Amino acid sequence: MEDNIKGKVVIITGGSSGLGENTARHLASRGAKVVIAARRKEKLEAIADDIRKDGGEALVVETDVTKRDDLKNLIELSKKEYGKIDVLINNAGLMAIAPLAEDKVEEWDKMIDINVKGVLYGISAALPVFQEQGFGHFINLSSVAGIKVFSPGGTVYSGTKYAVRAISDGLRHEVGGNIRTTTIEPGAIDSELKYGSSHDESSENVKEFYKQAIPGDSIARAIAYAIEQPKEVDVNEIVIRPTVQEF
């Protein structure tokens, strides 16, 4: 099924590190044309340079997923460069863990803006293109915390990831047929996500939890599996976590 990835145009938000970076490198090695998007342009450029040195194709677009116009710009530039968009991976995320009683309202707002509204802004920008083309694939990153509430501490984070699953399921139901939708639910995967907590005790607990983490390329391979399927096959959900992880 190699040819089902080769030549596809794949946009990845949160592409400057972690799962986004791993996925960009892996898909580029499989022949995809990757568009990597994030706020940290210097990091994106370094990743893109590596991909090009290895013979791959990569486009960098500085993007803040909390800004709707940035997502519109990302889609427009990608389509202008490559003439089509095959896949949008809504990967950018924030995990700020703290008990509700700590009243970290600003962090709640940031998680909602990035984890939920960022996904919706991506869908808003890409869906008209997919509908006009008659094909496309949304891959949205949820979490095992979107299957079971991660508490104490992760209640709001879980709420955002449950939302991603609900939005993805509704999206598949509304536009399925020509457009595929996949939700990825990772467990403890090595990335910068574990550094998102400002509450000291919660931060230490999260870092301890992530000692069981598996490499980010585990998710990259799962994403590749969903993309490489024939067009009539829609992989709706993939849950992937360390073998030793109970939660």
Side-chain angles (χ1 to χ4, degrees):
M1 290 188 283
E2 183 84 15
D3 287 342
N4 286 340
I5 290 181
K6 188 175 183 180
K8 283 193 171 178
V9 177
V10 182
I11 301 173
I12 307 162
T13 68
S16 62
S17 66
L19 307 188
E21 177 183 350
N22 282 299
T23 300
R25 292 181 185 276
H26 182 67
L27 294 179
S29 75
R30 297 282 303 271
K33 301 171 183 179
V34 297
V35 182
I36 46 178
R39 292 174 298 172
R40 296 177 292 183
K41 192 172 183 181
E42 287 186 4
K43 285 205 164 193
L44 294 176
E45 293 287 4
I47 296 163
D49 285 346
D50 285 348
I51 289 171
R52 293 172 192 135
K53 286 174 185 175
D54 289 336
E57 289 192 54
L59 175 67
V60 165
V61 182
E62 186 175 356
T63 305
D64 182 343
V65 299
T66 69
K67 298 177 180 177
R68 188 180 178 191
D69 285 345
D70 277 21
L71 270 301
K72 288 181 178 179
N73 180 63
L74 171 62
I75 297 301
E76 288 170 3
L77 287 178
S78 301
K79 191 171 187 297
K80 182 178 180 180
E81 178 73 18
Y82 294 117
K84 65 169 184 171
I85 300 166
D86 292 285
V87 185
L88 171 62
I89 303 174
N90 285 306
N91 166 70
L94 172 66
M95 184 176 72
I97 303 301
L100 288 173
E102 292 294 321
D103 204 30
K104 300 276 188 179
V105 177
E106 289 185 3
E107 292 184 356
W108 302 349
D109 286 341
K110 286 180 181 178
M111 284 192 285
I112 291 167
D113 286 345
I114 296 170
N115 299 354
V116 182
K117 292 170 72 175
V119 171
L120 288 170
Y121 290 162
I123 292 168
S124 173
L127 183 55
V129 176
F130 287 173
Q131 290 176 317
E132 182 182 0
Q133 293 175 162
F135 63 87
H137 191 174
F138 289 104
I139 299 180
N140 300 325
L141 271 289
S142 179
S143 168
V144 293
I147 299 171
K148 179 181 178 182
V149 177
F150 180 38
S151 66
T155 300
V156 178
Y157 177 69
S158 280
T160 66
K161 292 304 184 177
Y162 269 81
V164 171
R165 286 185 69 213
I167 290 163
S168 300
D169 198 38
L171 178 66
R172 178 195 59 78
H173 186 243
E174 289 191 26
V175 303
N178 295 324
I179 299 170
R180 303 192 292 182
T181 302
T182 301
T183 312
I184 308 290
E185 285 122 21
I189 312 296
D190 190 29
S191 73
E192 292 184 359
L193 199 65
K194 60 181 175 286
Y195 300 123
S197 304
S198 66
H199 182 247
D200 289 342
E201 184 180 349
S202 296
S203 180
E204 290 305 312
N205 290 338
V206 167
K207 289 173 186 175
E208 182 66 27
F209 179 78
Y210 268 77
K211 286 181 178 180
Q212 64 188 326
I214 53 179
D217 60 5
S218 309
I219 300 300
R221 292 194 303 273
I223 287 173
Y225 169 77
I227 293 173
E228 72 184 355
Q229 299 306 309
K231 64 181 180 179
E232 67 273 14
V233 177
D234 190 2
V235 178
N236 300 141
E237 280 192 283
I238 300 177
V239 182
I240 181 167
R241 66 186 118 197
T243 306
V244 298
Q245 183 179 337
E246 294 181 3
F247 167 72

